[in-house]
Amino acid sequence: SGRWYTIEVVGLVVYDDVTDFGAIQAEVMKHQPGLVIIDHYGHVDYGDPSEHPSVRKERLTRACKLLASRANTHMMLVAHPTKGAAGNAAPTMYDVEYLNPKDMNQIFALTADKDAPPTSALAATSVRGWVLKNRGGKLGQWPMIFAQAYTHFHAPQGVAL
């Protein structure tokens, strides 16, 4: 189940509380959006429930890639890192639980920047963006400031993004 609503100012269509991939697929084909964001892809049901979660999620990433191709859209899957990834010095594309990297064109990560000093009392946090996979493009990392009160990312002073 779920519900659609439109935010007219930006032409955004939001489907809230969806867990069925068939419903996502039908609505994507109906609305033909330029971007589909599934947050959190771990909550979407796909495949046979008796299969191991890793198999179902790998099949889901493949189905998302095929859907994006058929609908001529872009798809962003939001996922959490695996439990063991938290202690890594730098994230890798294999730190995402049940993600099938071969089906992804790009993989990005955000991490707390452990080396940066605190930024302010307004709940701004230093974070680091990572390009972990970029088919046909460059990899890298960059510092950012996340202003939690405004859900906004911006470059630190003197850094061009």
Side-chain angles (χ1 to χ4, degrees), residues 24-109:
I24 294 171
Q25 189 171 14
E27 294 298 330
V28 166
M29 295 308 291
K30 176 182 170 184
H31 292 279
Q32 297 288 309
L35 174 65
V36 176
I37 301 172
I38 298 179
D39 180 10
H40 172 291
Y41 98 111
H43 296 166
V44 176
D45 294 327
Y46 188 82
D48 181 349
S50 68
E51 291 179 313
H52 190 273
S54 65
V55 172
R56 291 196 339 253
K57 295 309 172 195
E58 285 181 14
R59 290 180 196 226
L60 175 60
T61 59
R62 171 53 98 178
C64 287
K65 181 175 183 172
L66 295 173
L67 174 59
S69 178
R70 278 194 10 244
N72 194 29
T73 188
H74 301 277
M75 190 162 286
M76 179 185 297
L77 305 178
V78 179
H80 293 247
T82 58
K83 290 181 172 105
N88 290 352
T92 74
M93 68 177 133
Y94 301 102
D95 288 334
V96 179
E97 192 169 48
Y98 305 138
L99 180 70
N100 190 354
K102 71 180 180 217
D103 285 333
M104 303 292 120
N105 289 331
Q106 291 92 20
I107 299 175
F108 301 94

